[in-house]
Amino acid sequence: QSALTQPASVSGSPGQSITISCTGTSSDIRGYNSVSWYQQHPGKAPKLMIYEVSDRPSGVSNRFSGSKSGNTASLTISGLQAEDEADYYCSSYTISNTLVFGGGTKLTVL
Amino acid sequence: QIQLVQSGAEVRNPGASLKVSCEASGYTFTSYRIHWVRQAPGQRLEWMGWINTGNGDTIYSQTFQGRISITRDTSASTVYMELSSLRSEDTAVYYCARWGPYFDYWGQGTLVTVSS
């Protein structure tokens, strides 16, 4: 199972919006709504930000939103804040009853 | 509160085996699968496998087939991940995570260093 494809890096200024894409195949993202997004700060464990494509866990800011179209899922962060600077990973359930992660995207807040 | 607490850092020689534990608390242990995910220094998250804590069924990533074993002890609410034939590329932080069906709780991570 190859990793899902994410841009290596994205950047934005405080207050702006950014979108991170996550592209898979019909065997993972297209076929399942079990797509989730994780935020990881250096030296820390990942934190769930979005689950089941577009749902937000309690405690996660409504500035974070998710969507999916075909083989591609997306994470949008609006009103960028300095604390959003981190690595972001998507993951998807697969047809083989396994999980796959994306390559990760480093978000820089300028 | 829900917690996953992992065993401490390990150093191994190439060719050796490793067993990392993940003790769950604060919820019904057998109601949620536990997965293992690793992250080599500066690299992406890599999924390794999962165990159905209720019946012990497991599924592993093809990347680790033949080298990995995930087991559980329901009396201790603990999951174990064993990796054999270690090589330098296995140096990483290893995480356990609860699947709900998404990774809602993570262990603190266990640093494993493989070096002669």
Side-chain angles (χ1 to χ4, degrees), chain B residues 16-78:
Chain B
S17 294
L18 166 78
K19 193 169 188 175
V20 181
S21 67
C22 171
E23 182 179 0
S25 61
Y27 70 97
T28 302
F29 176 71
T30 52
S31 294
Y32 295 83
R33 296 176 189 176
I34 293 288
H35 294 236
W36 287 89
V37 176
R38 78 176 186 181
Q39 187 171 38
Q43 301 301 308
R44 71 178 186 93
L45 300 173
E46 182 176 26
W47 182 78
M48 300 180 71
W50 59 259
I51 185 167
N52 180 323
T53 51
N55 61 16
D57 286 349
T58 54
I59 287 188
Y60 303 128
S61 165
Q62 287 188 342
T63 301
F64 302 98
Q65 281 285 0
R67 288 207 300 145
I68 189 172
S69 176
I70 301 176
T71 57
R72 95 287 193 215
D73 178 350
T74 56
S75 66
S77 297
T78 299

Side-chain angles (χ1 to χ4, degrees), chain A residues 38 40 44 46 51 89 97, chain B residues 39 50 59 95 102-103 106:
Chain A
Y38 302 88
Q40 187 180 34
K44 301 293 188 182
Y51 66 95
Y89 292 91
N97 209 14
Chain B
Q39 187 171 38
W50 59 259
I59 287 188
Y95 294 102
Y102 32 81
F103 297 125
W106 295 70

